[in-house]
Amino acid sequence: MLEYPLRADIALVKGSIVDEFGNTMYKGTTKNFNPIMAMASDVVIVEAEKFVNTGEINKEMIMTPGVVIDYIIKEAN
């Protein structure tokens, strides 16, 4: 028997820090499933707690690359 992986049409994820390109960093418990759901979805919408310029996030801290992100929504302050 072969079990195929689950695939989502849309993923809504919340990123702690997101840059203009879509590179996303997570803090706390959002590290658990958000990167996995972003990779397993056709369309990814990320809500940014903090929105920064491209290059401000340390490359080693990026958990979801910007090429995976389709839409960025800035959190209302």
Side-chain angles (χ1 to χ4, degrees):
M1 182 185 312
L2 175 63
E3 291 289 335
Y4 291 102
L6 294 175
R7 184 119 184 112
D9 293 330
I10 298 174
L12 302 171
V13 298
K14 184 164 186 163
S16 298
I17 302 174
V18 180
D19 71 9
E20 295 170 336
F21 185 67
N23 296 318
T24 306
M25 186 181 103
Y26 306 101
K27 294 180 184 174
T29 58
T30 58
K31 292 179 187 179
N32 294 336
F33 299 109
N34 284 353
I36 297 167
M37 286 307 302
M39 296 290 188
S41 300
D42 295 330
V43 176
V44 181
I45 303 169
V46 63
E47 180 184 7
E49 280 184 33
K50 182 178 178 185
F51 190 72
V52 297
N53 293 326
T54 302
E56 287 188 35
I57 301 175
N58 183 356
K59 293 177 184 171
E60 295 178 1
M61 301 301 292
I62 293 172
M63 296 175 192
T64 302
V67 295
V68 176
I69 306 298
D70 296 303
Y71 301 100
I72 302 169
I73 299 172
K74 298 177 188 175
E75 185 176 78
N77 292 329

